[in-house]
């Protein structure tokens, strides 16, 4: 497009696109404040952050095993974990009740935080999150359909737990993400914040209505408590046999995303910049969307829809180590695990012996954070 002629000269006025240097830069929220050079001081700082987060995770795990409706001294917890403790009620509580719950919370928190980080890079939007984009709602709808309609199709509980439930959650997550992606792109102009969030909210409402319809048409009232668990999100039903699939999905998914760290960094430069550097953005986005949906479906199949973890944790991690994904993803996983283990501990102790769904607490903290991010983005857009 030709620019306008400057008054009194034959030179064209530069277009707004060429005048604004921010158009060709990564979004402000994704810029690495520490720079690109991996200086010695920065490596030490990164090692310090990782070490501190590992220590915080260990402390959160011990606190999660010691505190609750029955308080167990930390020394007894460590003795039980070492295998030297004699059989006792405390040993049963720690090993059979609390430890599977804490480990599931760590896996789910780490996975949701990693997914949120990747989605924010894929759509170049700081408000992207599995919950806000309807991915968690889609996974929950698929899981609820299996729970309620499983008896109609003759699916046993074991089969639904090991195969059908995660598969249905993955299918629901993938379909909802594709729907939001299509709606957000339908108006042209890329992924505008308002259009992306509105598309996610619309898809979430539709899926919530579908979940309610499935529940109303169910034959048994016993499904109500299970469906409520999926919609609010909780870790209270964790068992040892539920840990293998989420743990394997987290490790495999995070490893694959670490291998894709450079293409994720390229996406932050924008569509044209990534294409010039040799990235097939359409195919890459499609592949990572499927991977994110698969990981979300597996996690939500065992924890329900826990919101805002993938929104808050990535921004906190970027403040610590910057936006380069090779360094960011491990820190995000550790920080997400610490956050959800601590949130679940608060859910078990705030109203003990009443067990509050952890999704309620994450929503109470994530809602104000979401509003703050909206205000911050509006301020930066008008600056």
């Amino acid at each position: 497009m030709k620019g306008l002629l400057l008054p009194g000269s034959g030179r064209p006025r530069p277009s707004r696109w060429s005048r604004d240097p921010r158009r060709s830069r990564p979004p402000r929220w994704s810029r690495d404040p520490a720079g690109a050079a991996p200086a010695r001081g920065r490596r030490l700082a990164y090692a310090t952050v990782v070490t501190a987060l590992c220590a915080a995770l260990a402390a959160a795990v011990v606190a999660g095993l010691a505190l609750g409706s029955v308080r167990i001294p930390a020394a007894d917890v460590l003795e039980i974990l070492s295998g030297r403790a004699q059989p006792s009620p405390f040993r049963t509580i720690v090993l059979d009740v609390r430890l599977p719950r804490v480990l599931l919370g760590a896996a789910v928190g780490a996975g949701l935080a990693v997914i949120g980080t990747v989605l924010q890079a894929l759509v170049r939007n700081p408000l992207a999150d599995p919950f806000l984009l309807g991915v968690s709602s889609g996974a929950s709808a698929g899981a609820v359909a299996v729970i309620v309609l499983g008896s109609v199709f003759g699916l046993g509980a074991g089969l639904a737990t090991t195969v059908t439930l995660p598969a249905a959650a993955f299918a629901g997550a993938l379909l909802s993400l594709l729907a939001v992606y299509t709606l957000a792109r339908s108006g042209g102009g890329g992924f505008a914040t308002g259009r992306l969030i509105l598309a996610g909210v619309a898809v979430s409402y539709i899926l919530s209505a579908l979940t309610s319809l499935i529940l109303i048409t169910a034959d048994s009232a016993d499904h109500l408590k299970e469906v409520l668990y999926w919609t609010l999100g909780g870790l209270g039903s964790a068992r040892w046999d539920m840990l293998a699939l989420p743990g394997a999905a987290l490790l495999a998914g995070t490893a694959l995303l670490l291998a894709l760290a450079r293409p994720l960094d390229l996406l932050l430069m924008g569509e044209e910049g990534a294409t010039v550097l040799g990235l097939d953005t359409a195919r890459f986005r499609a592949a990572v969307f499927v991977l994110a949906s698969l990981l979300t479906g597996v996690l939500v199949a065992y924890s329900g829809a826990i919101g805002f973890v993938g929104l808050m944790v990535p921004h906190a991690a970027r403040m610590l180590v910057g936006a380069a994904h090779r360094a960011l993803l491990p820190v995000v996983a550790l920080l997400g695990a610490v956050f959800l283990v601590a949130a679940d501990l608060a859910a078990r102790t705030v109203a003990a012996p009443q067990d509050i769904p952890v999704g309620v607490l994450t929503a109470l903290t994530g809602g104000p954070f979401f509003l703050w991010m909206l205000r911050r983005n509006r301020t930066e857009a008008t600056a």
Side-chain angles (χ1 to χ4, degrees):
M1 180 183 295
K2 296 182 179 180
L4 300 175
L5 292 180
L6 290 171
S9 71
R11 292 182 293 108
R13 184 192 303 273
S15 65
R16 182 180 178 185
W17 181 276
S18 62
R19 290 200 315 266
D20 190 354
R22 295 175 296 178
R23 301 278 183 171
S24 58
R25 297 179 183 176
R28 185 177 299 179
W29 55 269
S30 68
R31 294 177 199 164
D32 190 346
R40 176 178 176 81
R42 188 182 173 194
R43 287 199 301 268
L44 292 176
Y46 182 77
T48 302
V49 170
V50 172
T51 302
L53 287 176
C54 289
L57 180 58
V61 169
V62 173
L65 298 177
L67 302 178
S69 57
V70 177
R71 292 179 177 268
I72 303 175
D76 293 348
V77 170
L78 296 177
E79 185 178 4
I80 292 170
L81 293 178
S82 67
R84 297 193 302 267
Q86 298 296 324
S88 65
F90 282 174
R91 187 174 184 272
T92 301
I93 292 174
V94 170
L95 295 182
D96 297 338
V97 179
R98 292 183 181 173
L99 186 56
R101 179 169 182 163
V102 168
L103 293 179
L104 181 61
V108 172
L112 292 178
V114 168
I115 295 166
T117 304
V118 171
L119 289 179
Q120 289 170 11
L122 288 179
V123 301
R124 300 187 73 224
N125 193 304
L127 300 178
D129 168 77
F131 186 78
L132 293 176
L133 297 186
V135 184
S136 296
S137 299
S140 295
V144 168
V146 168
I147 292 173
V148 175
L149 303 178
S151 58
V152 176
F153 296 98
L155 299 176
L159 178 62
T161 300
T162 57
V163 178
T164 314
L165 193 60
F170 163 65
L174 181 59
L175 291 175
S176 63
L177 186 58
L178 290 176
V180 173
Y181 181 90
T182 303
L183 291 173
R185 294 284 301 227
S186 61
F191 293 93
T193 298
R195 188 163 60 247
L196 185 71
I197 298 303
L198 287 176
V201 170
V203 171
S204 296
Y205 273 120
I206 293 173
L207 293 172
S208 298
L210 179 61
T211 302
S212 300
L213 179 62
I214 295 173
L215 181 60
I216 291 173
T217 56
D219 296 332
S220 174
D222 296 336
H223 297 305
L224 180 60
K225 183 175 279 189
E226 290 184 83
V227 172
L228 186 62
Y229 163 78
W230 290 109
T231 55
L232 296 180
L235 306 171
S237 63
R239 304 185 308 272
W240 280 108
D241 59 353
M242 298 171 58
L243 299 180
L245 187 55
L250 172 65
L251 293 177
T254 305
L256 286 174
L257 292 172
L258 277 172
L260 300 174
R262 184 176 180 275
L264 289 172
D265 291 339
L266 293 180
L267 278 181
L268 294 178
M269 301 176 61
E271 197 88 14
E272 294 183 2
T275 303
V276 167
L277 292 175
L279 179 64
D280 188 341
T281 56
R283 295 182 63 181
F284 179 74
R285 274 199 175 101
V288 179
F289 274 148
V290 172
L291 178 59
S293 300
L294 177 60
L295 186 54
T296 302
V298 171
L299 297 177
V300 172
Y302 292 97
S303 68
I306 300 176
F308 295 102
V309 178
L311 174 66
M312 296 183 290
V313 174
H315 291 287
R318 289 189 190 96
M319 295 178 185
L320 296 175
V321 297
H325 285 86
R326 189 173 299 277
L328 178 63
L329 289 177
V331 172
V332 163
L334 288 172
L335 192 57
V338 172
F339 174 78
L340 196 57
V341 170
D344 184 59
L345 174 60
R348 289 191 286 117
T349 56
V350 166
Q354 182 69 30
D355 194 348
I356 301 174
V358 67
V360 174
L361 290 187
T362 59
L364 287 175
T365 56
F369 183 86
F370 175 68
L371 295 176
W372 175 76
M373 284 297 300
L374 278 177
R375 181 179 179 84
R376 178 189 177 194
N377 287 347
R378 182 179 301 177
T379 302
E380 290 183 357
T382 58

